[in-house]
Amino acid sequence: GWRSIFDSAMDLADDASDSASLQSARSASRSIKSVRSSTKAAATKKDERPVSKLRPKKPMIASVEDSVLSVTQMLASKRGDAALVTGLNGGLAGIITDTDVTRRVVAK
């Protein structure tokens, strides 16, 4: 982990002539590069999955005319943590989350 890299760097700084420390630092550097490249390849593969593979739930939808109380009751009853808020024209007006309610309504 990062501690062994840090320790290797500290050993290298203490005694630059110590070939064991120098070799250890080089080895750690190579292992970091290989981990980064393999992580990057894995992230690229995961990023190629369609959203449908995540199996999202049906969205909860509220209107801008709904009260905060009715929206929070809907979220609680359906165990949701966010709802899409639609405007009068049916377009997306925003998103309300349980955190929004906690910070902006309950806390005041």
Side-chain angles (χ1 to χ4, degrees):
W2 65 270
R3 287 181 190 219
S4 64
I5 295 167
F6 180 77
D7 290 340
S8 297
M10 292 306 291
D11 289 341
L12 185 62
D14 289 343
D15 186 12
S17 65
D18 185 4
S19 61
S21 294
L22 186 58
Q23 182 63 28
S24 176
R26 287 182 185 150
S27 174
S29 176
R30 272 188 248 123
S31 66
I32 289 172
K33 288 177 184 175
S34 67
V35 167
R36 283 183 185 159
S37 64
S38 66
T39 303
K40 197 173 193 179
T44 303
K45 266 191 172 176
K46 288 181 183 178
D47 293 342
E48 293 176 5
R49 295 180 298 172
V51 175
S52 62
K53 292 288 184 183
L54 299 175
R55 302 186 67 185
K57 298 177 187 175
K58 184 178 176 184
M60 291 179 229
I61 301 173
S63 171
V64 291
E65 294 179 326
D66 294 342
S67 69
V68 173
L69 178 61
S70 68
V71 174
T72 54
Q73 287 173 338
M74 175 184 64
L75 290 174
S77 69
K78 295 182 179 181
R79 297 180 184 236
D81 45 6
L84 301 175
V85 181
T86 58
L88 298 175
N89 63 355
L92 183 64
I95 300 172
I96 185 168
T97 66
D98 54 356
T99 304
D100 293 333
V101 174
T102 304
R103 290 184 181 169
R104 298 180 184 173
V105 179
V106 177
K108 289 187 178 184

